[in-house]
Amino acid sequence: MNGKSARTDQRIDELMGLLLRSGVLLAACIVLVGGVIYLARHPRPSDYRVFQGEPENLRTISGIFSEATARHGRGLIQLGLLVLIGTPISRVTFSVLAFLYRRDRKYVVFTLIVLGLLLYSLLGRR
Amino acid sequence: MNSLEFTTLIFAGSLLAGFLGALTGLGGGVVVVPLLTVIFGVDIHYAIGAALVSVIATSSGAAAAYVREGYSNIRVGMFLEMATTTGALAGATLVLYLHASVIAIIFGLVLIYSALVSFHEGSFLKPDQGPDPIATWLHMDSTYPTSSGLVSYHVRGVPMGFLLMVVAGVLSGLLGIGSGAVKVLAMDKAMKLPFKVSTTTSNFMIGVTAAAGAGIYLSRGYIDPGLAMPVMLGVLAGSLTGARVLADAKVRVLRVVFAVVIGALAIEMIYSGFTGKI
C-alpha cells in the first residue's frame, strides 16, 4: 500500500469515527429531551411485568414521526432510538461509498448486502 | 412508586450495569438484562429490547475510538457483518416462537460462558501461519500497531469464522446482547487474528449486528420508550466511566468479584427459567 492510499484510509477511518460519535450523541440528546417531557406528563410508570407490546404509533417509523412532531415524550424517545439504530446503518452506507471510491468491487457488494439486510430489518413489513 | 422514582432506579441500575460491562469486557447489554428481569421483575421481551438499543450506543462510541487507533480490521469486520446481520435477523425472529423461560435459560448459559471467557487475556504474539487463499482473495491480511511499530499478520479460517459469526448474530438477535464473546472466539481462535485486533473488530461489528436485531424489535413492539430511555442513557454513561477507570487502573481483583456477581445472576436466571418464574 503506498503512502497516498494509506492517508486516504486514515481520513476515511476518521470520518467514520466522527459519524458514529455524533450519531450516538444526537440520539442521546433527543432521548433525554423526550424523557423529560415523558416524566413531566406521566406520573405513573407503566407495568413492565407482563408483556403487552407497544401501540402501532410507537413501533412504525411513520407513527413515531407523527408522535415526535406532536412533541409527545414517548414519541421523541422513540425518535432518538431510531436515530441510534440509524447510526450503524449510516456507517455501513458510508462504507459502501468508501469502497466504491477505492474501486474495491468485492467489498462494495459485501457492504451492499449488509445494508440491504439492515434496511429490511427496519422497513420490512411484518 | 411514581414515574420519576422508577426511572431513577432503572437509570442507577443501568449505570452500574454499563460500568460493570465495560470493566469486565462483557458489555452493558449482557449485564442489564438479568438486572431488569431478576431484580426489577421486568418481562424479558421489554428487557432485551431496552438492552439491545443500549448495546448500539456503547459499541458505536467505543468503535469510533478503536477505528482511529488502527487496531480494527475493517475488511474482516465488513465481510463478517454479512454473517452476523443474517444471524441477528433470524435470532430476532426466533424470539417470537420461543417461550420466555427458554430465552432466560439460553441467556443464563451464554452469560456464564461470556463471564468465563472474559478472564482470557489472549496472547499478543501468535505464530504467523502464512497466507491463506480465501483471506488473500478477500484482501484481509493487514497490520496493527504495537510498541515496536506496525506488525503485519495473516488471516486464516474464514469459513469457520463466518459460521461462528452466524451463531454470534443469532444470539445477539435472540438475547438483545452484543455477543462479543462469540465474536472474539471466531476471530481469535478460528481466524487467528491478534487478540487486540479481534476485540476491537468485534466492537466495530457489534453496532451493526445490534441494529439488525433492533429494527425487528422495534416493529414487534419490544422497545418501550419509558424503559429504554433510562436503560440506554444509564448504560451509555456507565460504560464511558468504566472505560476510563479501565484505562487508569489495574482492576484484576474487581473483575473477579464482578464476574462472580454476574455468574450468580446467570444462575438465578436459569433457575427462574426452569421454575417458570420468567
Side-chain angles (χ1 to χ4, degrees), chain A residues 13 17 24 39 42-43 45 48-49 51-54 59 78 84 88 91 95 104 106-107 110-111 117 121 126, chain B residues 2-3 7 41 43 46 53 75 78 81-82 85 137-138 204 208 212 215-216 218-219 221-224 227:
Chain A
D13 290 351
V24 172
L39 286 178
H42 293 77
Y48 297 111
R49 281 169 302 182
F51 180 72
Q52 286 153 342
E54 298 306 307
R59 57 189 170 91
Q78 296 299 71
L84 191 65
R91 196 272 278 158
S95 298
D104 191 335
K106 271 173 242 169
Y107 279 84
F110 299 155
T111 42
L117 290 166
S121 162
R126 55 184 72 88
Chain B
N2 71 31
S3 219
T7 303
D43 179 275
Y46 288 130
V53 290
R75 282 206 167 78
M78 291 291 179
E81 274 168 5
M82 287 191 287
T85 45
W137 185 70
L138 293 168
F204 174 77
V208 169
I216 293 192
L218 186 75
S219 55
Y222 297 167
I223 299 178
D224 180 87
L227 187 69

Side-chain angles (χ1 to χ4, degrees), chain B residues 70-77 123-132 135-136 139-146 149-156 187-188 191-202:
Chain B
Y71 285 112
S72 312
N73 187 321
I74 309 278
R75 282 206 167 78
V76 168
S123 55
F124 246 77
L125 294 168
K126 280 197 189 92
D128 197 302
Q129 297 173 343
D132 169 287
T136 307
H139 303 291
M140 282 176 171
D141 296 338
S142 181
T143 59
Y144 73 111
T146 67
L150 285 182
V151 173
S152 62
Y153 58 88
H154 291 293
V155 178
R156 303 192 59 85
M187 286 185 280
D188 182 60
M191 301 176 73
K192 312 286 182 201
L193 289 166
F195 191 67
K196 182 81 181 174
V197 176
S198 302
T199 53
T200 54
T201 307
S202 156

Side-chain angles (χ1 to χ4, degrees), chain A residues 100-116:
Chain A
L100 263 177
Y101 177 75
R102 290 182 222 176
R103 291 165 216 272
D104 191 335
R105 262 183 248 143
K106 271 173 242 169
Y107 279 84
V108 171
V109 174
F110 299 155
T111 42
L112 276 175
I113 290 173
V114 174
L115 186 62

Side-chain angles (χ1 to χ4, degrees), chain A residues 113-114 117-118 120-121, chain B residues 52 79-95 162-177 179 183 205 208-214 216-217:
Chain A
I113 290 173
V114 174
L117 290 166
L118 287 172
Y120 167 74
S121 162
Chain B
L52 197 60
F79 180 76
L80 295 176
E81 274 168 5
M82 287 191 287
T84 60
T85 45
T86 307
L89 287 173
T93 309
L94 205 58
V95 176
F162 195 88
L163 279 180
L164 282 171
M165 283 296 176
V166 175
V167 175
V170 170
L171 292 176
S172 173
L174 180 63
L175 307 175
I177 62 176
S179 64
K183 288 191 175 83
M205 298 169 61
V208 169
T209 313
I216 293 192
Y217 281 14

